[in-house]
């Protein structure tokens, strides 16, 4: 593979990049950073982190992994959380560019912030490592993309779910933010499984934005409208948990609830029988790997980094939940 080459950094992005930021944010790109935190020893090099939020356990674990790897490498981190606001995240990428960070690690909120943020970094000549989400449109260039193979994970999980109720019946799907990488891939994976189960019918499909509370409300409506529902596939653990709690409140029993993430709280829910399965991702490892790659890039050694780095998932069910430690996936802070 050829070495990764980037243009020299500029103090601010080009006028075209600024225009892109304004298009998506509707306000000045030079805003004060929100949710900033520093980490690591200062050896003169800095890695900027633009993360969708610091409430989701997945993102918290990923940033914990980044901090551990940065401390080990002696790099400073500047971490900005967008609080699930796409426009704010684009502004934060611009702020990292203005600070002249050496590399940006980007966990995008959605397709809009992914495309705009990567364009800003590209125009400024700053290498960008994408984790979990990536631009689904445009010509943005990434140094590498680190993620779960969500198509494969969703196909395996949905296949397992269909088998739990005999491969025939009505199901609902709770999607992530429409157009985001994970939403597109998890929808595609479940569709592949559905192709092999002609007697499974999707009677409801709704976006709940990875959010447990939104999923709870959506599931209430879905359960009311579909008395014969067999299962709900939450494209994230939070949404699966919200749906399962809605069913519990309504007194609906015998349904199957599954999600993708491997949250420690989901492990508990599976063990207790509230939910039935999760595909456990490895966000702590992804965070470590993203910083290790960013360090290589900053030091001019990024030529051998693969463009795509999929990490393994583990199907966790009632049968094996006791044999799986959430700390393996979410780091030592979740012991």
């Amino acid at each position: 593979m050829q070495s990764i080459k980037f243009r020299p950094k500029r103090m601010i992005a080009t006028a075209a990049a600024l225009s892109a930021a304004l298009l998506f944010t509707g306000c000045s790109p030079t805003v004060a950073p929100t949710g900033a935190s520093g980490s690591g020893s200062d050896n003169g090099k800095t890695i900027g982190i633009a993360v969708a939020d610091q409430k989701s356990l997945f993102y918290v674990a990923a940033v914990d992994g980044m901090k551990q790897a940065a401390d080990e490498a002696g790099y400073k981190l500047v971490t900005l959380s967008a609080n699930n606001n796409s426009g704010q995240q684009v502004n934060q990428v611009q702020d990292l560019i203005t600070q002249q960070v050496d590399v940006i690690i980007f966990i995008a909120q959605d397709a809009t912030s992914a495309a705009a943020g990567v364009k800003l970094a590209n125009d400024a000549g700053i290498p960008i490592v994408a984790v979990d989400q990536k631009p689904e449109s445009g010509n943005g260039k990434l140094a590498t993309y680190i993620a779960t193979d969500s198509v494969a994970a969703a196909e395996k999980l949905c296949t397992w779910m269909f088998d739990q109720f005999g491969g025939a019946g009505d199901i609902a799907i709770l999607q992530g933010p429409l157009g985001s990488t994970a939403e597109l891939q998890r929808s595609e994976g479940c569709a592949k499984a559905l192709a092999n189960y002609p007697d499974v019918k999707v009677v409801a499909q709704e976006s709940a934005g990875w959010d447990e509370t939104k999923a709870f409300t959506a599931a209430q409506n879905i359960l009311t409208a579909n008395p014969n529902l067999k299962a709900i596939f939450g494209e994230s653990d939070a949404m699966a948990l919200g749906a399962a709690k809605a069913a519990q409140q309504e007194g609906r029993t015998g349904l199957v609830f599954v999600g993708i993430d491997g949250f420690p709280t989901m492990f508990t829910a599976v063990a207790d029988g509230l939910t039935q399965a999760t595909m456990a991702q490895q966000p702590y490892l992804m965070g470590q790997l993203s910083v290790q790659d960013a360090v290589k890039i900053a030091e001019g050694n990024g030529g051998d980094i693969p463009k795509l780095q999929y990490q393994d998932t583990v199907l966790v069910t009632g049968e094996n939940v006791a044999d799986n430690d959430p700390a393996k996936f979410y780091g030592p802070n979740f012991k």
Side-chain angles (χ1 to χ4, degrees):
M1 181 181 295
Q2 292 183 342
S3 298
I4 300 171
K5 295 181 180 179
F6 299 93
R7 297 197 305 274
K9 293 183 294 183
R10 297 191 292 273
M11 189 65 180
I12 58 175
T14 62
L18 290 174
S19 297
L22 290 169
L23 173 63
F24 289 111
T25 63
C27 58
S28 169
T30 54
V31 297
T34 302
S37 63
S39 176
S41 304
D42 189 356
N43 68 351
K45 292 186 181 291
T46 302
I47 298 170
I49 313 295
V51 61
D53 72 54
Q54 278 291 268
K55 295 179 289 184
S56 164
L57 292 180
F58 181 95
Y59 298 143
V60 170
V63 171
D64 282 349
M66 293 174 196
K67 290 176 180 175
Q68 185 277 331
D71 286 343
E72 191 173 283
Y75 269 62
K76 179 182 177 182
L77 293 185
V78 176
T79 305
L80 304 179
S81 171
N83 300 314
N84 295 308
N85 184 306
S86 179
Q88 180 172 308
Q89 188 169 49
V90 176
N91 276 327
Q92 289 178 341
V93 171
Q94 177 61 55
D95 186 75
L96 293 173
I97 292 168
T98 302
Q99 293 185 50
Q100 293 189 289
V101 299
D102 293 276
V103 182
I104 292 174
I105 298 174
F106 193 20
I107 305 182
Q109 160 64 20
D110 55 25
T112 298
S113 60
V118 171
K119 178 173 176 19
L120 285 169
N122 286 167
D123 288 349
I126 296 178
I128 191 156
V129 174
V131 178
D132 191 49
Q133 306 283 347
K134 65 182 178 66
E136 295 298 332
S137 63
N139 299 312
K141 294 181 180 179
L142 304 175
T144 187
Y145 172 52
I146 301 166
T148 295
D149 185 347
S150 285
V151 175
E155 183 177 7
K156 182 176 180 178
L157 180 63
C158 284
T159 298
W160 182 91
M161 180 178 74
F162 301 157
D163 288 341
Q164 304 314 298
F165 56 84
D170 296 346
I171 70 162
I173 299 174
L174 294 175
Q175 300 165 289
L178 299 180
S180 66
T181 305
E183 180 274 318
L184 291 170
Q185 292 186 348
R186 292 171 192 182
S187 294
E188 179 185 347
C190 199
K192 285 188 172 185
L194 282 164
N196 296 318
Y197 288 80
D199 295 326
V200 176
K201 204 184 206 186
V202 179
V203 295
Q205 194 162 280
E206 186 173 339
S207 173
W210 311 132
D211 185 81
E212 181 174 324
T213 301
K214 291 179 182 177
F216 181 93
T217 301
Q220 284 182 313
N221 296 330
I222 290 169
L223 291 164
T224 299
N226 298 280
N228 297 318
L229 200 68
K230 297 290 187 182
I232 294 181
F233 167 41
E235 291 185 346
S236 74
D237 278 357
M239 295 189 295
L241 285 165
K245 290 174 182 178
Q248 185 180 57
Q249 180 172 292
E250 306 256 339
R252 294 280 291 272
T253 60
L255 279 76
V256 180
F257 300 94
V258 302
I260 297 178
D261 278 319
F263 286 172
T265 49
M266 189 67 159
F267 274 60
T268 300
V270 170
D272 292 343
L274 176 65
T275 58
Q276 282 62 53
T278 181
M279 289 298 289
Q281 302 186 87
Q282 301 189 68
Y284 189 81
L285 175 65
M286 290 183 197
Q288 289 177 310
L289 181 58
S290 68
V291 166
Q292 290 163 2
D293 285 348
V295 169
K296 289 179 184 177
I297 293 164
E299 295 179 357
N301 301 316
D304 293 332
I305 298 172
K307 292 292 185 182
L308 176 62
Q309 301 185 72
Y310 277 144
Q311 307 304 305
D312 292 335
T313 56
V314 175
L315 176 62
V316 177
T317 70
E319 293 183 355
N320 67 357
V321 65
D323 300 324
N324 283 282
D325 182 357
K328 171 186 173 184
F329 307 97
Y330 279 75
N333 292 341
F334 289 95
K335 280 187 177 180

